[in-house]
Amino acid sequence: MYLASKSYTSVPYCVKFYDKEDGNAADLDELIDEFELMKDMSNKSVAKTYEVFQDSSYFYLVNQPYFGGDLTKIGARALKQGVRMSEAWWRGIFKQCMEGLDYLHSKAIIHCDIKEPNIMIADGDDYSAPNAVLIDFGLASPFANTAAGISGTPGYIPPETFQTQQWQPRGDIFSMGITFF
């Protein structure tokens, strides 16, 4: 669940919260790991997180907001604004996605869950030149992680991850290719 604000502070934010009673929700250690991973990100195509905290009922992540929807909605929203979705327009979006992924990989981080809902458009006011941003680092893993097991979304997980039970950086490239397709 998300709450977003443009008015309570001078910096807009989005609060992602998890009910502690929900057995499927992340636990505090997972959220702290996600926060530690995201707090120092400094790339316009990668989400930024400002804070993690909890109260008696919820865990919270305070993130940079993205008001333009995710890639599942971009076509309809651009069409509504009369934007011509040419090959060059899509290429610009895909390039930003790859720049974000390149940045993550330069930091030795594998996303492990690239898919349309995990790529947001920063601002919903103008779709003629949208800014794509990679989000949701709950499954992200350092390159050095040798733990076995499959995580991610079926249909986006590369075949070699199923075979080896480990993510490799090129697996993100496979997932991005599925997303672009």
Side-chain angles (χ1 to χ4, degrees):
M1 177 81 59
Y2 294 91
L3 296 175
S5 170
K6 282 190 173 183
S7 62
Y8 294 115
T9 68
S10 61
V11 176
Y13 64 90
C14 172
V15 180
K16 184 177 180 181
F17 59 97
Y18 302 89
D19 187 339
K20 290 180 176 181
E21 298 295 320
D22 181 355
N24 293 323
D27 66 22
L28 185 57
D29 289 337
E30 291 170 336
L31 291 176
I32 289 172
D33 289 345
E34 186 173 350
F35 168 71
E36 287 297 324
L37 181 76
M38 294 176 65
K39 72 181 174 87
D40 294 325
M41 296 293 167
S42 60
N43 182 282
K44 67 183 178 102
S45 296
V46 176
K48 177 86 170 156
T49 292
Y50 302 114
E51 188 174 350
V52 62
F53 63 96
Q54 67 177 319
D55 63 19
S56 61
S57 301
Y58 296 95
F59 298 118
Y60 304 90
L61 272 177
V62 180
N63 301 314
Q64 187 174 10
Y66 306 106
F67 296 103
D70 63 36
L71 281 191
T72 66
K73 298 170 183 71
I74 192 170
R77 290 180 177 192
L79 187 63
K80 187 175 180 180
Q81 287 187 359
V83 173
R84 183 173 174 271
M85 294 174 280
S86 66
E87 181 180 329
W89 184 82
W90 283 106
R91 194 177 319 116
I93 294 167
F94 296 161
K95 181 179 183 220
Q96 292 171 52
C97 294
M98 293 305 292
E99 288 169 350
L101 200 54
D102 181 57
Y103 177 80
L104 284 179
H105 289 176
S106 76
K107 300 291 185 188
I109 297 168
I110 308 168
H111 188 283
C112 302
D113 200 22
I114 297 291
K115 58 185 177 182
E116 295 88 344
N118 287 343
I119 301 171
M120 298 291 292
I121 302 304
D123 185 21
D125 294 337
D126 180 11
Y127 286 90
S128 63
N131 296 315
V133 180
L134 303 179
I135 67 161
D136 196 351
F137 295 88
L139 298 178
S141 174
F143 282 11
N145 185 358
T146 58
I150 297 176
S151 61
T153 301
Y156 296 85
I157 300 170
E160 63 270 15
T161 298
F162 281 110
Q163 293 167 353
T164 65
Q165 300 287 298
Q166 290 186 318
W167 273 91
Q168 301 295 321
R170 68 177 176 246
D172 278 346
I173 305 293
F174 175 90
S175 300
M176 193 67 81
I178 296 297
T179 300
F180 293 170
F181 183 73

